[in-house]
Amino acid sequence: MLKNDLFLRALKGETVQRPPVWMMRQAGRYLPEFRELRDKYDFFTRCETPELAAEITVQPIRRIAPDAAILFSDILVVPRAMGIHVELKDNLGPIIPNPIRSLADVHKVYVPDVNETLGYVFDAVKLTKEMLNDEVPLIGFAGSPWTIFCYAVEGKGSKSFDTAKGFCFSNPAAAHTLLQKITDTTILYLKEKIKSGVNAVQIFDSWGGMLSPVDYQEFSWKYINQIVDALADITPVIVFGKGCWFALGDMGKSRASALGVDWTCSARNARYLSGGNITLQGNFDPSRLLSPIPTIKKMVHEMIDEFGKDKYIVNLGHGILPNIPVDHAKAFIDAVKEYGN
Ligand SMILES: Cc1c2[nH]c(c1CCC(=O)O)Cc1[nH]c(c(CCC(=O)O)c1C)Cc1[nH]c(c(CCC(=O)O)c1C)Cc1[nH]c(c(C)c1CCC(=O)O)C2
């Protein structure tokens, strides 16, 4: 049905003429048409209004034409639905005015009826699917339980998430109760997103790399793996763990369809660590899009040579930065389409 199914074929590990490409955070501030809407509507209004979310999702498809769309939303809509108040402050990022710091706080957080609390996301998925007209697949996403937990406990962004880690190590029972509630909500949420029409899902474990390999197993991977197991029969799942190269071995043995890697891990190491058989996604340094266009194109071709064109999805190693010129973002996409020509 899809006119361009390269992305789904790479997720299945099929042989392709060139790898598919999309960019994490491709619907965002580097696009002037995005900034126009951002100046008119606050962040959660953009997330909660299906017409706005759908329009923002297709903006990069029109402008730079990647091989997949990712629904405009945020990982923080999930804790909001669980009764945790989240604000987004300009230049400060997310703020949770009453962070979770005790077992009593954990008991106040609930697993919601996702249709009641997150119905706007499912409406946005349906509307976006109509607007995309089967041109490219649509990716849905959620934060990993650990990454959501980091914000819920720390109360804000952080370089090290010491408070969140401290809560795990000093009060593990309470931490696990909260992580399980987030996991249960995320499974319900992603199942409904899939029912509404997304073609694949990605779990963003942006702060997994804050944990030691042993703690990662206990506080992050264990919960991500529950989500993967719950969804693997109904849709392809991509796991992106920023800084989590040490967990690629376990991830490669799971039922995930693909694994994201950041730019600190070479293609060769990522293939070796993940067992050599699973589709990998990544890992261009987002700052490298500030290089001159001919350099970007050359480096993208070298990256494809290193990962190999099969079982590979070209992407950045993390989200695109707001200061990237649009023609540089487009050069990244074009370079992949020109590969092998
Ligand atoms: C950690 C995280 C968050 N949100 C997300 C993550 C995981 C991925 C990552 O690590 O980058 C995921 C996310 N957030 C957003 C998307 C959109 C879809 C896409 O194009 O990829 C996705 C996939 C929109 C957004 N989410 C946010 C913006 C920018 C603010 C705005 O538009 O007003 C966008 C476009 C706000 C946000 N949301 C979050 C932060 C830390 C911030 C503020 C910092 C920042 O601006 O990057 C939490």
Side-chain angles (χ1 to χ4, degrees):
M1 277 277 280
L2 282 162
K3 291 165 202 156
N4 175 350
D5 65 351
L6 259 189
F7 172 72
L8 297 178
R9 287 175 53 206
L11 284 172
K12 285 189 204 139
E14 291 176 11
T15 301
V16 288
Q17 208 156 24
R18 62 154 177 97
V21 56
W22 67 283
M23 283 188 295
M24 290 190 274
R25 298 288 201 101
Q26 67 190 17
R29 287 162 298 180
Y30 71 104
L31 285 177
E33 55 270 41
F34 175 88
R35 291 196 297 266
E36 235 173 74
L37 289 177
R38 186 194 53 178
D39 293 344
K40 281 197 213 144
Y41 306 98
D42 72 49
F43 183 69
F44 284 112
T45 302
R46 273 174 278 142
C47 291
E48 290 170 6
T49 311
E51 291 74 16
L52 289 174
E55 167 60 23
I56 295 171
T57 302
V58 300
Q59 282 178 346
I61 306 303
R62 293 187 197 118
R63 178 73 89 129
I64 57 172
D67 295 307
I70 178 162
L71 186 76
F72 177 77
S73 186
D74 199 83
I75 62 169
L76 298 170
V77 300
V78 168
R80 263 164 78 96
M82 299 175 71
I84 301 172
H85 183 67
V86 183
E87 292 168 18
L88 202 93
K89 295 248 161 79
D90 272 348
N91 306 321
L92 269 178
I95 300 285
I96 287 92
N98 301 303
I100 293 165
R101 298 284 168 81
S102 67
L103 185 60
D105 293 340
V106 171
H107 284 320
K108 285 188 216 138
V109 176
Y110 48 86
V111 177
D113 175 331
V114 290
N115 279 307
E116 227 163 72
T117 51
L118 292 159
Y120 61 88
V121 180
F122 314 137
D123 291 341
V125 170
K126 291 174 202 152
L127 192 57
T128 306
K129 285 294 288 182
E130 278 174 35
M131 283 173 75
L132 287 173
N133 194 24
D134 287 327
E135 292 293 338
V136 290
L138 178 63
I139 305 167
F141 68 89
S144 74
W146 163 252
T147 291
I148 301 288
F149 176 98
C150 278
Y151 287 105
V153 176
E154 196 81 32
K156 55 183 184 341
S158 160
K159 281 207 164 70
S160 52
F161 288 99
D162 297 329
T163 312
K165 289 168 72 174
F167 187 63
C168 289
F169 304 150
S170 60
N171 203 343
H176 281 298
T177 304
L178 180 55
L179 285 162
Q180 192 60 55
K181 284 185 186 184
I182 301 169
T183 303
D184 294 345
T185 306
T186 302
I187 290 171
L188 295 169
Y189 172 59
L190 288 176
K191 278 192 170 165
E192 211 55 47
K193 251 173 153 167
I194 294 159
K195 254 201 235 162
S196 305
V198 300
N199 302 96
V201 298
Q202 174 158 319
I203 314 289
F204 284 89
D205 196 6
S206 304
W207 303 122
M210 297 292 118
L211 293 166
S212 74
V214 169
D215 291 330
Y216 188 77
Q217 290 298 325
E218 179 177 350
F219 295 103
S220 189
W221 174 245
K222 176 176 150 188
Y223 295 99
I224 294 175
N225 202 24
Q226 282 185 41
I227 300 171
V228 171
D229 279 338
L231 304 179
D233 283 330
I234 50 176
T235 207
V237 183
I238 306 168
V239 177
F240 168 64
K242 171 110 193 335
C244 299
W245 57 270
F246 53 77
L248 287 172
D250 290 297
M251 292 176 175
K253 291 188 203 106
S254 76
R255 300 186 67 206
S257 291
L259 306 177
V261 281
D262 67 56
W263 61 97
T264 64
C265 186
S266 68
R268 179 195 285 256
N269 268 333
R271 286 281 180 216
Y272 173 74
L273 292 168
S274 62
N277 221 357
I278 191 165
T279 296
L280 296 178
Q281 174 178 280
N283 69 345
F284 207 69
D285 179 348
S287 305
R288 264 291 175 191
L289 290 182
L290 290 167
S291 295
I293 284 176
T295 310
I296 293 172
K297 290 195 167 181
K298 178 169 166 283
M299 291 184 74
V300 167
H301 291 167
E302 286 166 358
M303 180 170 76
I304 299 171
D305 287 338
E306 281 163 29
F307 276 97
K309 74 169 173 63
D310 293 320
K311 296 188 178 175
Y312 178 46
I313 298 164
V314 180
N315 205 314
L316 305 174
H318 200 184
I320 186 168
L321 303 167
N323 61 342
I324 300 302
V326 177
D327 56 336
H328 287 222
K330 180 147 193 319
F332 179 78
I333 305 289
D334 288 345
V336 182
K337 296 184 179 173
E338 290 156 11
Y339 182 78
N341 284 354

